[in-house]
Amino acid sequence: RSDMFVCHCAGLPMLTVLCVFVFFAAAQDTPAEKPLPDAESQIRITADSLITDPRNKTAEFAGHVLATQGDTTITSDKLKVYYKKGIQSSPSAGVDAIVRMVAQGMVKIVLADTVAHTEHAEYIADKRIVILTGPNSRIVDGNNSISGQKITLYRDDRRIHVVGTQKEPVEAFFYSDENILGAPKKKN
């Protein structure tokens, strides 16, 4: 079809995402009078292949996907980006904006000391939430970790909602220097 672009190449230039998935710069000319977004908002993605579909406003990266933005890195088997035209009154008018991103297959998201592992991750831009789903989905922050079947991160107020199943209950590990629960101290 004439509205589809298919690219197969190892080492396609990288773009970035997560918590993860924030801004997608389209391959189009930006008028000189409109400033370009800063380097921290730039997303770079590498993958074995890319299929874009302007009619449906999607870009799908597949195979060894690596997305980076600032100090955030996402790796996965696939990454699909849903976008829309930028608002004309915004500083990045004429640049496409991410609406939603979906990463599938061995997803790993790294942000500083925080690492998330899951089979499926979705970022919904207007709500600023990240949803991790799949068996053994987990987030590790230093020595602390949480896991469950579904983990929802609310980026604006930093809430986390974790849902488990009877077979895979929610599990959390927290480390503290204080003996909060009164556990017996180890003898040396």
Side-chain angles (χ1 to χ4, degrees):
R1 292 178 17 194
S2 63
D3 62 340
M4 296 278 264
F5 171 73
V6 180
C7 176
H8 295 280
C9 57
L12 182 67
M14 284 198 335
L15 200 134
T16 316
V17 190
L18 180 30
C19 250
V20 356
F21 313 104
V22 188
F23 178 88
F24 183 71
Q28 62 185 26
D29 295 329
T30 302
E33 68 273 9
K34 295 183 180 143
L36 291 173
D38 63 40
E40 280 297 307
S41 66
Q42 178 184 3
I43 297 173
R44 188 172 178 204
I45 300 174
T46 60
D48 295 339
S49 68
L50 165 65
I51 299 174
T52 64
D53 184 351
R55 180 176 293 150
N56 291 313
K57 294 183 176 56
T58 63
E60 186 166 5
F61 298 86
H64 305 98
V65 178
L66 173 62
T68 58
Q69 180 181 37
D71 63 354
T72 301
T73 302
I74 298 170
T75 57
S76 63
D77 294 336
K78 291 182 179 181
L79 176 65
K80 190 166 189 175
V81 179
Y82 300 81
Y83 58 92
K84 67 178 179 179
K85 286 287 182 205
I87 300 168
Q88 292 304 315
S89 60
S90 75
S92 58
V95 176
D96 292 343
I98 287 178
V99 174
R100 185 171 142 231
M101 296 177 74
V102 178
Q104 293 182 331
M106 297 181 60
V107 180
K108 180 179 178 182
I109 302 167
V110 179
L111 175 59
D113 291 337
T114 304
V115 180
H117 297 271
T118 189
E119 279 301 309
H120 184 271
E122 181 172 0
Y123 175 68
I124 303 168
D126 65 342
K127 295 180 182 179
R128 294 185 41 81
I129 62 173
V130 178
I131 303 166
L132 310 176
T133 54
N136 299 312
S137 292
R138 70 185 179 284
I139 299 175
V140 178
D141 186 5
N143 290 326
N144 303 312
S145 68
I146 55 173
S147 64
Q149 180 67 29
K150 180 179 180 181
I151 303 172
T152 305
L153 304 140
Y154 299 87
R155 295 188 66 207
D156 287 336
D157 60 9
R158 303 180 59 109
R159 285 182 303 130
I160 299 175
H161 180 211
V162 184
V163 177
T165 64
Q166 186 172 7
K167 214 172 153 178
E168 184 189 336
V170 171
E171 187 171 50
F173 292 97
F174 301 105
Y175 291 88
S176 173
D177 291 335
E178 298 179 33
N179 190 355
I180 296 169
L181 298 179
K185 295 191 179 208
K186 293 182 180 179
K187 295 180 182 179
N188 292 340

